[in-house]
Amino acid sequence: MSVGLVFVSHSATLAAGVAELAAQMAPDVKLVAAGGLDGGGIGTDFEAVSQAARDADSGAGVVLLYDLGSAQMTAELAVETLDGEVDAVVVDAPLVEGAVAAAVEAQGGADRAAVAAAAAKAGAQAETGASTDSGAAESVELTLRNDVGLHARPAALLVRALAGLDTEVTVRLGEQEADAHSVLALMSLGARQGDRIEVLAKGADAGTAVERVKDLVARDFDE
């Protein structure tokens, strides 16, 4: 049982696309697209959004994300009208980035509040910074051989592999580095097939973390 997600958009195609992307990272999470008007027009449908929240609920609660202002109003009205039937909340977050962050968090078994918080912080998590001294206890250099490098699905697998470990892990590509616990930060590196990355870990589980990343890379992220 995991937190469900609803993507509210003025466009059915956009909502479905966001759900498709999130599904790459969260195969066990209920993801429901609620886009467009009945009949295919552009807009948001209150009844459709309300039903989407019900459909996404498996008992752990639901987080709704939206694209534009009136979609927020529709989502909030739907949640209000559900009147406790579903433990749902609307989150102010960038739709795509928020969907990715929330999906990974939900897949990891986080509760509704944590999933909502991950979505809300998504914009900031997308940032990467200049290289700094991490004081790593373990490190390894690896060459990415899989076709898509550290794009959405591989990045999500890496984040999930580190879940529950007592360690800080950083992935470096050239002068950039990213928090390995953030899908968005990893994707922002733009690491491609053939790139050589450095993985640095510190903390009680640093060795385990490095071994798990090595295993994923050796398996080409199961592509």
mmCIF file of all heavy atoms in Angstrom, residues 98-133:
data_model
loop_
_atom_site.group_PDB
_atom_site.id
_atom_site.type_symbol
_atom_site.label_atom_id
_atom_site.label_comp_id
_atom_site.label_asym_id
_atom_site.label_seq_id
_atom_site.Cartn_x
_atom_site.Cartn_y
_atom_site.Cartn_z
ATOM 1 N N GLY A 98 7.845 17.770 -9.675
ATOM 2 C CA GLY A 98 7.132 17.317 -8.486
ATOM 3 C C GLY A 98 6.630 15.896 -8.631
ATOM 4 O O GLY A 98 6.667 15.103 -7.686
ATOM 5 N N ALA A 99 6.159 15.559 -9.821
ATOM 6 C CA ALA A 99 5.672 14.198 -10.068
ATOM 7 C C ALA A 99 6.796 13.182 -9.920
ATOM 8 O O ALA A 99 6.616 12.121 -9.316
ATOM 9 C CB ALA A 99 5.075 14.119 -11.472
ATOM 10 N N VAL A 100 7.952 13.505 -10.446
ATOM 11 C CA VAL A 100 9.103 12.598 -10.349
ATOM 12 C C VAL A 100 9.502 12.393 -8.892
ATOM 13 O O VAL A 100 9.670 11.256 -8.423
ATOM 14 C CB VAL A 100 10.292 13.147 -11.158
ATOM 15 C CG1 VAL A 100 11.563 12.365 -10.845
ATOM 16 C CG2 VAL A 100 9.972 13.099 -12.645
ATOM 17 N N ALA A 101 9.654 13.490 -8.182
ATOM 18 C CA ALA A 101 10.083 13.396 -6.781
ATOM 19 C C ALA A 101 9.046 12.659 -5.939
ATOM 20 O O ALA A 101 9.388 11.807 -5.108
ATOM 21 C CB ALA A 101 10.326 14.797 -6.225
ATOM 22 N N ALA A 102 7.775 12.979 -6.140
ATOM 23 C CA ALA A 102 6.718 12.341 -5.359
ATOM 24 C C ALA A 102 6.620 10.853 -5.686
ATOM 25 O O ALA A 102 6.409 10.023 -4.791
ATOM 26 C CB ALA A 102 5.387 13.034 -5.639
ATOM 27 N N ALA A 103 6.772 10.510 -6.949
ATOM 28 C CA ALA A 103 6.662 9.099 -7.352
ATOM 29 C C ALA A 103 7.754 8.255 -6.705
ATOM 30 O O ALA A 103 7.490 7.151 -6.206
ATOM 31 C CB ALA A 103 6.737 8.994 -8.873
ATOM 32 N N VAL A 104 8.972 8.768 -6.705
ATOM 33 C CA VAL A 104 10.078 8.024 -6.094
ATOM 34 C C VAL A 104 9.844 7.862 -4.597
ATOM 35 O O VAL A 104 10.064 6.786 -4.023
ATOM 36 C CB VAL A 104 11.408 8.727 -6.363
ATOM 37 C CG1 VAL A 104 12.545 8.085 -5.573
ATOM 38 C CG2 VAL A 104 11.719 8.698 -7.855
ATOM 39 N N GLU A 105 9.393 8.927 -3.971
ATOM 40 C CA GLU A 105 9.144 8.874 -2.524
ATOM 41 C C GLU A 105 8.029 7.881 -2.207
ATOM 42 O O GLU A 105 8.126 7.101 -1.254
ATOM 43 C CB GLU A 105 8.761 10.269 -2.016
ATOM 44 C CG GLU A 105 8.912 10.464 -0.523
ATOM 45 C CD GLU A 105 10.367 10.601 -0.074
ATOM 46 O OE1 GLU A 105 11.248 10.709 -0.945
ATOM 47 O OE2 GLU A 105 10.596 10.573 1.147
ATOM 48 N N ALA A 106 6.964 7.910 -2.988
ATOM 49 C CA ALA A 106 5.853 6.974 -2.761
ATOM 50 C C ALA A 106 6.290 5.536 -3.006
ATOM 51 O O ALA A 106 5.905 4.631 -2.263
ATOM 52 C CB ALA A 106 4.685 7.342 -3.672
ATOM 53 N N GLN A 107 7.083 5.328 -4.034
ATOM 54 C CA GLN A 107 7.569 3.972 -4.326
ATOM 55 C C GLN A 107 8.396 3.430 -3.163
ATOM 56 O O GLN A 107 8.379 2.221 -2.880
ATOM 57 C CB GLN A 107 8.410 3.992 -5.600
ATOM 58 C CG GLN A 107 8.986 2.633 -5.995
ATOM 59 C CD GLN A 107 7.924 1.641 -6.450
ATOM 60 O OE1 GLN A 107 6.911 2.036 -7.024
ATOM 61 N NE2 GLN A 107 8.144 0.364 -6.189
ATOM 62 N N GLY A 108 9.092 4.322 -2.472
ATOM 63 C CA GLY A 108 9.897 3.919 -1.334
ATOM 64 C C GLY A 108 9.110 3.676 -0.065
ATOM 65 O O GLY A 108 9.680 3.328 0.963
ATOM 66 N N GLY A 109 7.785 3.891 -0.125
ATOM 67 C CA GLY A 109 6.943 3.602 1.027
ATOM 68 C C GLY A 109 6.732 4.757 1.978
ATOM 69 O O GLY A 109 6.230 4.552 3.091
ATOM 70 N N ALA A 110 7.078 5.965 1.570
ATOM 71 C CA ALA A 110 6.896 7.130 2.437
ATOM 72 C C ALA A 110 5.412 7.423 2.656
ATOM 73 O O ALA A 110 4.571 7.043 1.842
ATOM 74 C CB ALA A 110 7.582 8.341 1.809
ATOM 75 N N ASP A 111 5.113 8.114 3.770
ATOM 76 C CA ASP A 111 3.717 8.459 4.038
ATOM 77 C C ASP A 111 3.305 9.692 3.224
ATOM 78 O O ASP A 111 4.129 10.307 2.542
ATOM 79 C CB ASP A 111 3.473 8.666 5.536
ATOM 80 C CG ASP A 111 4.278 9.827 6.111
ATOM 81 O OD1 ASP A 111 4.737 10.691 5.336
ATOM 82 O OD2 ASP A 111 4.442 9.865 7.345
ATOM 83 N N ARG A 112 2.023 10.044 3.344
ATOM 84 C CA ARG A 112 1.495 11.120 2.514
ATOM 85 C C ARG A 112 2.218 12.442 2.738
ATOM 86 O O ARG A 112 2.516 13.171 1.786
ATOM 87 C CB ARG A 112 0.003 11.301 2.774
ATOM 88 C CG ARG A 112 -0.712 12.061 1.667
ATOM 89 C CD ARG A 112 -1.930 12.784 2.218
ATOM 90 N NE ARG A 112 -1.552 13.815 3.170
ATOM 91 C CZ ARG A 112 -2.404 14.654 3.740
ATOM 92 N NH1 ARG A 112 -3.672 14.559 3.477
ATOM 93 N NH2 ARG A 112 -1.999 15.569 4.598
ATOM 94 N N ALA A 113 2.513 12.765 3.986
ATOM 95 C CA ALA A 113 3.193 14.026 4.278
ATOM 96 C C ALA A 113 4.580 14.064 3.637
ATOM 97 O O ALA A 113 4.997 15.091 3.095
ATOM 98 C CB ALA A 113 3.301 14.219 5.793
ATOM 99 N N ALA A 114 5.295 12.962 3.683
ATOM 100 C CA ALA A 114 6.641 12.917 3.104
ATOM 101 C C ALA A 114 6.592 13.001 1.581
ATOM 102 O O ALA A 114 7.441 13.644 0.958
ATOM 103 C CB ALA A 114 7.352 11.643 3.536
ATOM 104 N N VAL A 115 5.601 12.356 0.988
ATOM 105 C CA VAL A 115 5.452 12.415 -0.465
ATOM 106 C C VAL A 115 5.129 13.850 -0.906
ATOM 107 O O VAL A 115 5.705 14.371 -1.869
ATOM 108 C CB VAL A 115 4.356 11.449 -0.944
ATOM 109 C CG1 VAL A 115 4.063 11.643 -2.437
ATOM 110 C CG2 VAL A 115 4.781 10.004 -0.678
ATOM 111 N N ALA A 116 4.237 14.492 -0.171
ATOM 112 C CA ALA A 116 3.879 15.876 -0.491
ATOM 113 C C ALA A 116 5.088 16.796 -0.325
ATOM 114 O O ALA A 116 5.329 17.689 -1.145
ATOM 115 C CB ALA A 116 2.730 16.334 0.404
ATOM 116 N N ALA A 117 5.853 16.573 0.720
ATOM 117 C CA ALA A 117 7.038 17.410 0.963
ATOM 118 C C ALA A 117 8.070 17.225 -0.132
ATOM 119 O O ALA A 117 8.714 18.188 -0.565
ATOM 120 C CB ALA A 117 7.637 17.066 2.327
ATOM 121 N N ALA A 118 8.245 15.999 -0.587
ATOM 122 C CA ALA A 118 9.204 15.739 -1.669
ATOM 123 C C ALA A 118 8.807 16.480 -2.934
ATOM 124 O O ALA A 118 9.657 17.043 -3.634
ATOM 125 C CB ALA A 118 9.285 14.240 -1.932
ATOM 126 N N ALA A 119 7.515 16.484 -3.235
ATOM 127 C CA ALA A 119 7.042 17.204 -4.418
ATOM 128 C C ALA A 119 7.274 18.705 -4.276
ATOM 129 O O ALA A 119 7.744 19.368 -5.211
ATOM 130 C CB ALA A 119 5.560 16.911 -4.640
ATOM 131 N N ALA A 120 6.966 19.228 -3.100
ATOM 132 C CA ALA A 120 7.087 20.668 -2.880
ATOM 133 C C ALA A 120 8.534 21.140 -2.985
ATOM 134 O O ALA A 120 8.804 22.267 -3.401
ATOM 135 C CB ALA A 120 6.520 21.021 -1.502
ATOM 136 N N LYS A 121 9.466 20.277 -2.634
ATOM 137 C CA LYS A 121 10.883 20.650 -2.667
ATOM 138 C C LYS A 121 11.536 20.340 -4.006
ATOM 139 O O LYS A 121 12.743 20.521 -4.160
ATOM 140 C CB LYS A 121 11.639 19.911 -1.565
ATOM 141 C CG LYS A 121 11.248 20.327 -0.158
ATOM 142 C CD LYS A 121 12.160 19.729 0.888
ATOM 143 C CE LYS A 121 12.071 18.233 0.915
ATOM 144 N NZ LYS A 121 12.871 17.613 1.980
ATOM 145 N N ALA A 122 10.767 19.848 -4.945
ATOM 146 C CA ALA A 122 11.339 19.321 -6.183
ATOM 147 C C ALA A 122 12.164 20.344 -6.947
ATOM 148 O O ALA A 122 13.206 20.009 -7.501
ATOM 149 C CB ALA A 122 10.245 18.769 -7.086
ATOM 150 N N GLY A 123 11.699 21.580 -7.007
ATOM 151 C CA GLY A 123 12.434 22.589 -7.756
ATOM 152 C C GLY A 123 13.826 22.789 -7.226
ATOM 153 O O GLY A 123 14.803 22.823 -7.975
ATOM 154 N N ALA A 124 13.953 22.887 -5.919
ATOM 155 C CA ALA A 124 15.261 23.088 -5.318
ATOM 156 C C ALA A 124 16.134 21.868 -5.483
ATOM 157 O O ALA A 124 17.340 21.961 -5.672
ATOM 158 C CB ALA A 124 15.110 23.402 -3.829
ATOM 159 N N GLN A 125 15.523 20.665 -5.441
ATOM 160 C CA GLN A 125 16.301 19.449 -5.538
ATOM 161 C C GLN A 125 16.912 19.281 -6.917
ATOM 162 O O GLN A 125 17.852 18.518 -7.091
ATOM 163 C CB GLN A 125 15.423 18.230 -5.243
ATOM 164 C CG GLN A 125 15.076 18.108 -3.771
ATOM 165 C CD GLN A 125 14.199 16.912 -3.502
ATOM 166 O OE1 GLN A 125 13.555 16.384 -4.413
ATOM 167 N NE2 GLN A 125 14.156 16.480 -2.262
ATOM 168 N N ALA A 126 16.345 19.974 -7.911
ATOM 169 C CA ALA A 126 16.870 19.823 -9.263
ATOM 170 C C ALA A 126 18.225 20.482 -9.440
ATOM 171 O O ALA A 126 18.906 20.259 -10.419
ATOM 172 C CB ALA A 126 15.892 20.395 -10.281
ATOM 173 N N GLU A 127 18.613 21.305 -8.476
ATOM 174 C CA GLU A 127 19.853 22.043 -8.624
ATOM 175 C C GLU A 127 21.056 21.163 -8.340
ATOM 176 O O GLU A 127 21.024 20.291 -7.503
ATOM 177 C CB GLU A 127 19.851 23.233 -7.664
ATOM 178 C CG GLU A 127 18.748 24.234 -7.958
ATOM 179 C CD GLU A 127 18.735 25.353 -6.950
ATOM 180 O OE1 GLU A 127 19.545 25.288 -6.004
ATOM 181 O OE2 GLU A 127 17.914 26.264 -7.104
ATOM 182 N N THR A 128 22.123 21.416 -9.066
ATOM 183 C CA THR A 128 23.395 20.783 -8.779
ATOM 184 C C THR A 128 24.412 21.888 -8.564
ATOM 185 O O THR A 128 24.242 23.007 -9.014
ATOM 186 C CB THR A 128 23.858 19.877 -9.925
ATOM 187 O OG1 THR A 128 23.978 20.661 -11.105
ATOM 188 C CG2 THR A 128 22.863 18.758 -10.170
ATOM 189 N N GLY A 129 25.442 21.571 -7.885
ATOM 190 C CA GLY A 129 26.392 22.617 -7.567
ATOM 191 C C GLY A 129 27.790 22.282 -7.998
ATOM 192 O O GLY A 129 28.059 21.245 -8.583
ATOM 193 N N ALA A 130 28.693 23.179 -7.661
ATOM 194 C CA ALA A 130 30.089 22.957 -7.985
ATOM 195 C C ALA A 130 30.662 21.899 -7.064
ATOM 196 O O ALA A 130 30.175 21.633 -5.982
ATOM 197 C CB ALA A 130 30.852 24.261 -7.842
ATOM 198 N N SER A 131 31.749 21.310 -7.536
ATOM 199 C CA SER A 131 32.387 20.260 -6.759
ATOM 200 C C SER A 131 32.930 20.799 -5.448
ATOM 201 O O SER A 131 33.524 21.860 -5.387
ATOM 202 C CB SER A 131 33.526 19.649 -7.597
ATOM 203 O OG SER A 131 34.216 18.695 -6.829
ATOM 204 N N THR A 132 32.720 20.049 -4.355
ATOM 205 C CA THR A 132 33.262 20.416 -3.055
ATOM 206 C C THR A 132 33.842 19.175 -2.415
ATOM 207 O O THR A 132 33.569 18.056 -2.827
ATOM 208 C CB THR A 132 32.167 20.994 -2.140
ATOM 209 O OG1 THR A 132 31.132 20.016 -1.983
ATOM 210 C CG2 THR A 132 31.578 22.267 -2.726
ATOM 211 N N ASP A 133 34.626 19.369 -1.375
ATOM 212 C CA ASP A 133 35.202 18.245 -0.657
ATOM 213 C C ASP A 133 34.132 17.590 0.202
ATOM 214 O O ASP A 133 33.616 18.190 1.134
ATOM 215 C CB ASP A 133 36.342 18.747 0.214
ATOM 216 C CG ASP A 133 36.991 17.598 0.967
ATOM 217 O OD1 ASP A 133 36.628 16.436 0.719
ATOM 218 O OD2 ASP A 133 37.875 17.891 1.798
#
